[in-house]
Amino acid sequence: MTDNANLAWGVHSSPVTDHPPSYFIPDVFGFFAAWIHGDPRKVVYPTDSYGQFCGQKGTNNAKKAILFYFNILKCASPSVLINLQCPTTQLCVPKCPDRFATYSEMQYHHRSNKSYWEYYRQFCKPGFDNPNKVLRDEDCPSMIVPSRPFLQRCFPDFITRNGTLTVANRTAFKDVLGETRSVTELRDAANGITSLLDAKEVGMKIFEDYASSWYWILIGLLVAMVVSLIFILLLRFTAGFLLWFIIFAVIALVAYGIWHCYEEFVALKEKPSADVTISDIGFQTDFHVYLQLSQTWLVFMISLSVTEAVIILMLIFLRNRVRIAIALLKEGSKAIGYIMSTLFYPIVTFLLLAVSISYWAVTAVFLASSGDAIYKVMPSQPNCMYANLTCNPETFNKSNITKVCPGSQCMFAFYGGESPYHRYIFILQLCNLLVFLWLVNFTIALGQCTLAGAFASYYWALKKPADIPPCPLFSSFSRAIRYHTGSLAFGSLILAVVQLIRIVLEYLDHKLKGAQNTFARFLLCCLKCCFWCLERVIKFMNRNAYIMIAIYGKNFCTSAREAFFLLMRNVVRVAVLDKVTDFLLFLGKVLIAGSVGALAFLFFTHKIPVIQEEVPSLNYYWVPLLTVTLGSYLIAHGFFSVYAMCVDTLFLCFLLDLENNNGSAARPYHMSTSLRKILNKRNRKR
């Protein structure tokens, strides 16, 4: 037995104990600073003009959970509203107004109808008792319009009827001066509110669909898990037959999709109402509308035809390499059959990822809410020299500002600060994002190194399964935690930095979309492309470096260098593994997701007579259908990722085995007979 076998068994002659690097110190500072200065209530609750939270328990606003804007016409856009920087008084109220009214009308009906005044008064400042300068000081709103709560804020209740925008069935209203104003002015002042309300309506329907179909969604995901597990077990005994079955089943499935799309296209082509382009109808909340268009099915048919052609051409030109990939998959199925516990390791990865995401989200919320309340001067008249300057509400009435700018108010604007900590909150958010990417990549790296160590112990065992060590997965996990934490963290950090740069480039690209500088946009596009390629290369090299770490126990740089030169010496065989094998596994994932998705489609569209009465009533049947299909793909990906790691590990062990035996494929110590025969044939052809 070679030294490789001893190393794979965990007998490190001179183990290199890695320690986690200290790169996370800046984010640790940011984490504790966020906990000290942060206040999530600033994110959860809206804030009125006095810096008080709406709806917070134990305060005067406990029963006033909605933010009301005195003059929404002053608000330029929904983003201004959501960021609480609208230049008008904002007040916490228990409910939004449900009628049109002005302060002038209130004064007219004040004596004759007390209830009219009492209703209007609930939208005035607390303690207000009808003074003379009410409008100048904005003690009461100049007018109120029918509104509904959205994002805990009162927005006009826009409804489109027969293509006409209305509020409470009215297209016009009168302001405090008695002038007739169009409802479209409200829409222009709060641009995008109608689309937000449509989005809310769609969101509510989607939530209802999930509430009524969650039980069946879980059953569908459970079926996907069982099918994936059975599929992996079948590969243990019928790998060759099953993989060829996958190939032809996917070809047949795509061919059926092409035929179905063609039938729908021909049927709709004869209908004049279906001869409308997708761009003509725009975005529709009812996605069933798109299925009534012939162009939709034409797009589907072309996409599936291209997919079918790509699959067939790959099989024609790579048929010999497919045989080698199948032999590798057969060997991988044997390894998984002996170490079945590896199939459940993705659960550990999922839990660690959940912890990483929770850490990032909590820290981000505390950082975002760690600013102090900033108050700005809001003048009632234009050309005030103190407009938008920072003010102190406690001393504002005693200052000279109220004399120079009569009617001005010191109102809450946003959360921020001028201290060094507040100036570097954005930098701390970037550090938090970097650590989040680092933790995610470290979790994935830990899983790859753990699985690689377990499967390497299988390969280097002379007599299988007698020589396989007990609890190989747990032993490999222990070695990775004890000896290789620093190497895994270093490799993960390199990848995290590249991913952070890509995110920054995407942000800059989003900001420069309207820019006229063609060269800058071209340069940015080139940088995005280069860093995308760099990320792919680093992911590939890290994966193989972790395998070498699991085998030899060396540090990251040494393992990455040895893995790189080993792969370069066998570049043709690497192409076989990295492309063809991944392609076959991808077809398996597509087959499982497509089969479960097709079953879900038949179920949710009432096309299974036996259980037709059990189908829940849905607004959009595609909501549970997409959830089941995507969930099935992710579940299958979890199982097949173990399979892919197994094949990659066995392949690198196989290459090392060949080189340790002078490159001879005739008598390697640990290679399977079937794989040896195929490679002998390939060598003779060369």
Side-chain angles (χ1 to χ4, degrees):
M1 183 179 293
T2 63
D3 291 338
N4 298 338
N6 294 328
L7 291 169
W9 276 58
V11 185
H12 295 74
S13 56
S14 57
V16 180
T17 304
D18 295 325
H19 299 283
S22 58
Y23 307 123
F24 59 84
I25 290 178
D27 192 73
V28 170
F29 165 76
F31 178 78
F32 285 110
W35 275 92
I36 294 172
H37 298 281
D39 188 354
R41 295 177 303 174
K42 300 172 185 177
V43 179
V44 176
Y45 301 106
T47 309
D48 64 11
S49 295
Y50 305 101
Q52 299 175 346
F53 301 120
C54 298
Q56 183 186 359
K57 296 181 180 180
T59 65
N60 295 331
N61 292 332
K63 296 183 179 180
K64 301 177 180 179
I66 306 172
L67 192 67
F68 171 71
Y69 298 89
F70 271 32
N71 188 356
I72 199 171
L73 292 174
K74 292 184 179 180
C75 304
S77 67
S79 61
V80 172
L81 298 180
I82 296 172
N83 292 328
L84 304 177
Q85 296 179 12
C86 184
T88 186
T89 301
Q90 300 149 35
L91 193 69
C92 297
V93 295
K95 61 180 180 179
C96 297
D98 59 4
R99 67 193 71 172
F100 281 105
T102 65
Y103 185 74
S104 302
E105 293 174 346
M106 182 276 297
Q107 287 182 314
Y108 179 78
H109 294 287
H110 176 52
R111 296 181 180 179
S112 60
N113 191 346
K114 295 289 184 181
S115 61
Y116 193 98
W117 159 242
E118 291 299 327
Y119 178 81
Y120 198 95
R121 184 178 180 178
Q122 65 180 322
F123 302 105
C124 298
K125 292 180 180 178
F128 164 71
D129 194 17
N130 196 16
N132 295 326
K133 300 179 180 180
V134 55
L135 294 182
R136 192 198 69 176
D137 297 336
E138 281 198 343
D139 291 326
C140 283
S142 60
M143 64 178 180
I144 58 176
V145 298
S147 306
R148 69 169 71 177
F150 181 65
L151 299 176
Q152 291 184 267
R153 294 158 177 82
C154 291
F155 289 152
D157 189 9
F158 292 113
I159 299 177
T160 303
R161 298 183 183 277
N162 299 323
T164 303
L165 186 67
T166 64
V167 174
N169 296 323
R170 294 169 62 174
T171 58
F173 62 97
K174 291 186 177 182
D175 60 13
V176 68
L177 300 177
E179 297 181 359
T180 302
R181 310 287 290 267
S182 173
V183 168
T184 55
E185 294 185 55
L186 289 175
R187 181 194 60 189
D188 295 337
N191 184 29
I193 295 296
T194 52
S195 61
L196 289 175
L197 293 177
D198 287 341
K200 179 190 175 185
E201 183 180 357
V202 173
M204 290 299 296
K205 290 182 178 180
I206 291 175
F207 180 79
E208 292 173 0
D209 289 343
Y210 276 124
S212 58
S213 62
W214 67 269
Y215 177 76
W216 295 104
I217 291 175
L218 289 180
I219 291 178
L221 297 179
L222 182 62
V223 169
M225 185 175 67
V226 173
V227 171
S228 300
L229 185 58
I230 293 175
F231 196 89
I232 294 294
L233 294 177
L234 288 177
L235 282 175
R236 172 70 177 83
F237 305 101
T238 59
F241 168 77
L242 204 56
L243 289 170
W244 284 112
F245 172 77
I246 290 175
I247 294 172
F248 290 110
V250 170
I251 292 175
L253 192 64
V254 176
Y256 170 77
I258 295 172
W259 175 81
H260 181 73
C261 292
Y262 176 77
E263 290 291 321
E264 293 287 344
F265 173 74
V266 172
L268 292 173
K269 193 67 176 177
E270 300 176 355
K271 298 181 180 179
S273 59
D275 193 17
V276 182
T277 62
I278 298 176
S279 59
D280 290 338
I281 64 172
F283 175 76
Q284 299 292 327
T285 57
D286 185 5
F287 290 93
H288 186 70
V289 173
Y290 296 107
L291 299 180
Q292 307 301 319
L293 303 179
S294 59
Q295 189 185 61
T296 302
W297 294 102
L298 179 62
V299 171
F300 288 161
M301 183 175 65
I302 294 174
S303 301
L304 291 175
S305 299
V306 172
T307 303
E308 185 85 336
V310 170
I311 294 174
I312 293 175
L313 289 175
M314 286 187 67
L315 291 175
I316 292 175
F317 291 103
L318 299 176
R319 58 187 182 277
N320 292 326
R321 295 181 179 180
V322 167
R323 294 180 61 235
I324 301 177
I326 290 177
L328 284 169
L329 291 172
K330 285 182 180 180
E331 194 68 21
S333 64
K334 293 179 181 178
I336 293 177
Y338 288 127
I339 314 175
M340 289 293 294
S341 57
T342 54
L343 290 176
F344 301 97
Y345 186 84
I347 298 176
V348 178
T349 301
F350 173 78
L351 294 176
L352 293 177
L353 288 176
V355 173
S356 302
I357 294 172
S358 300
Y359 161 79
W360 167 77
V362 171
T363 306
V365 168
F366 271 85
L367 281 173
S369 60
S370 59
D372 298 324
I374 301 298
Y375 296 85
K376 297 283 187 179
V377 176
M378 298 295 177
S380 61
Q381 301 174 357
N383 302 323
C384 175
M385 59 184 299
Y386 296 102
N388 295 323
L389 293 181
T390 305
C391 58
N392 187 344
E394 296 180 358
T395 61
F396 180 76
N397 293 330
K398 300 178 182 179
S399 65
N400 192 43
I401 300 177
T402 55
K403 298 178 181 179
V404 178
C405 301
S408 299
Q409 301 182 70
C410 182
M411 296 193 302
F412 169 80
F414 54 87
Y415 291 105
E418 300 298 331
S419 67
Y421 167 75
H422 293 107
R423 287 197 296 267
Y424 289 103
I425 283 181
F426 179 74
I427 302 299
L428 292 176
Q429 286 283 22
L430 286 180
C431 292
N432 183 42
L433 178 60
L434 175 62
V435 172
F436 167 68
L437 296 173
W438 191 7
L439 290 175
V440 169
N441 290 318
F442 178 80
T443 300
I444 296 173
L446 179 62
Q448 291 175 344
C449 188
T450 300
L451 293 173
F455 293 126
S457 66
Y458 161 83
Y459 183 89
W460 297 112
L462 284 175
K463 297 179 180 179
K464 303 175 178 63
D467 288 343
I468 299 177
C471 303
L473 183 66
F474 179 76
S475 300
S476 179
F477 181 80
S478 302
R479 290 197 302 272
I481 293 294
R482 181 180 179 184
Y483 296 116
H484 311 311
T485 306
S487 293
L488 301 180
F490 182 67
S492 303
L493 178 62
I494 296 174
L495 182 58
V497 170
V498 174
Q499 290 174 336
L500 180 64
I501 294 174
R502 286 197 62 205
I503 293 174
V504 172
L505 290 176
E506 289 292 343
Y507 173 78
L508 294 176
D509 183 53
H510 177 73
K511 289 295 183 181
L512 293 176
K513 277 187 176 179
Q516 302 297 326
N517 193 330
T518 307
F519 176 76
R521 296 187 62 184
F522 171 76
L523 181 62
L524 192 61
C525 183
C526 293
L527 289 174
K528 287 170 56 180
C529 180
C530 291
F531 277 95
W532 179 85
C533 295
L534 180 61
E535 181 185 0
R536 301 290 295 181
V537 171
I538 291 176
K539 281 185 176 180
F540 176 76
M541 290 307 305
N542 280 6
R543 183 184 181 91
N544 290 283
Y546 299 147
I547 296 175
M548 297 297 286
I549 289 172
I551 297 174
Y552 284 109
K554 298 180 181 179
N555 61 48
F556 175 81
C557 294
T558 303
S559 299
R561 184 179 66 252
E562 292 180 354
F564 175 77
F565 287 114
L566 177 65
L567 295 175
M568 288 300 99
R569 290 193 296 269
N570 299 272
V571 65
V572 177
R573 288 168 176 163
V574 170
V576 174
L577 173 72
D578 191 49
K579 299 300 179 184
V580 180
T581 307
D582 289 349
F583 176 69
L584 292 177
L585 293 177
F586 172 73
L587 291 183
K589 290 183 280 189
V590 169
L591 181 62
I592 292 174
S595 301
V596 177
L599 185 63
F601 173 79
L602 296 176
F603 174 78
F604 288 114
T605 54
H606 302 268
K607 294 184 178 180
I608 302 180
V610 180
I611 52 176
Q612 196 170 20
E613 297 179 357
E614 302 293 333
V615 181
S617 178
L618 301 171
N619 297 298
Y620 308 118
Y621 73 85
W622 52 264
V623 171
L625 176 60
L626 286 180
T627 304
V628 171
T629 304
L630 293 177
S632 300
Y633 182 84
L634 292 177
I635 290 173
H637 177 73
F639 282 98
F640 280 84
S641 64
V642 175
Y643 216 105
M645 197 65 204
C646 176
V647 172
D648 288 350
T649 303
L650 297 181
F651 185 70
L652 253 68
C653 290
F654 163 69
L655 295 179
L656 290 170
D657 204 7
L658 285 179
E659 292 194 351
N660 289 337
N661 288 277
N662 299 320
S664 173
R667 56 177 188 84
Y669 289 128
H670 310 92
M671 184 170 51
S672 67
T673 305
S674 58
L675 188 57
R676 189 192 317 166
K677 290 180 179 179
I678 293 175
L679 287 171
N680 279 335
K681 290 180 181 179
R682 295 286 296 170
N683 290 334
R684 284 196 296 268
K685 287 181 180 179
R686 293 194 185 98

